[in-house]
Structures are given as structure tokens and as C-alpha cells.
Amino acid sequence: MEILMLILSYVFISIIVGLFYVAMLLSVFYLMKKIFRMNESKWTSLFKIHNGLGLYYALIIPWIITIVVMFPIIVMWFELIGMEYNILASVSIILLLFVTTAWKFYKGRANLSNISR
């Protein structure tokens, strides 16, 4: 029963984390636009730094912030549903989310470098 609850929690949490990541990404881009008065040439130069590494960092930094913010929420979720090993379940969900997203970023890096040229 706990395995089924862990799988369902992973699906639920991955949806919530994805939505939070999009909100965080848009917030970071908005703040960068306002703080640094970004225009098209500044955005282009940021994204073209080291063959697209600037764009890559602009995508990864909000992901790290998202994971750090969501970890206590995930721990509270597993405490709320009464999971016996809530810290272990939280760490396993975070690691699974991190590995799947790192794999997607790794596979998409070639596409990002093509876009930034």
C-alpha cells in the first residue's frame, strides 16, 4: 500500500514541482528584465555566452531553487499522509525528480546550443 502511495505521490509532486518551476523560471526572467533593463540584444548576449551556457544556467538556477523550496513541502506532505519513512521517501522523490530533469537537461543541451547560435 505504501508503494502505491509513493507512486501516486510522485505523480502528484512532479506536477506541482513542474508548475512551481515554470512560475520560478518566469519570475527569474521577469526580475532579470526589470533589474538589468534587458532588451533584445542583452538577452541575446546572455543566451550566447559560451555556446548557450548562459541560457543553460538561466534554466538550471531556478530548478535548483525550486528543489530547495519544495523539499520541506514534500516532507510535510509525507508526514500528512502518514508515511512511515517520510524523510527517506522525500529524499527518494527529490532524487528521482533531480535525475529525470538532469537527464532532460543533458539531452536538450545540444538543442540549446543550436538555438543560441
Side-chain angles (χ1 to χ4, degrees):
M1 184 66 179
E2 285 194 12
I3 297 294
L4 179 64
M5 194 59 116
L6 185 67
I7 292 170
L8 291 175
S9 293
Y10 171 72
V11 171
F12 175 71
I13 289 169
S14 66
I15 291 170
I16 299 299
V17 166
L19 291 173
F20 191 77
Y21 171 66
V22 169
M24 184 67 61
L25 185 66
L26 292 174
S27 299
V28 166
F29 281 146
Y30 180 76
L31 285 174
M32 285 174 61
K33 179 185 181 291
K34 289 296 181 183
I35 292 172
F36 299 115
R37 301 180 204 279
M38 301 291 277
N39 56 19
E40 183 179 353
S41 64
K42 288 181 181 179
W43 284 115
T44 303
S45 64
L46 172 69
F47 293 157
K48 286 187 176 185
I49 294 174
H50 301 292
N51 287 335
L53 205 56
L55 176 61
Y56 200 65
Y57 285 143
L59 294 174
I60 288 182
I61 290 171
W63 174 250
I64 293 171
I65 293 169
T66 300
I67 291 297
V68 168
V69 168
M70 291 302 288
F71 183 72
I73 296 170
I74 294 170
V75 170
M76 282 192 306
W77 167 254
F78 283 121
E79 286 178 2
L80 183 69
I81 63 172
M83 184 75 71
E84 185 175 350
Y85 301 107
N86 58 359
I87 299 295
L88 182 63
S90 301
V91 169
S92 65
I93 294 291
I94 290 293
L95 284 176
L96 191 58
L97 286 171
F98 181 75
V99 167
T100 56
T101 305
W103 178 253
K104 291 174 190 174
F105 277 140
Y106 177 74
K107 283 179 28 180
R109 183 142 195 274
N111 292 336
L112 287 177
S113 66
N114 289 336
I115 289 170
S116 65
R117 289 183 184 170

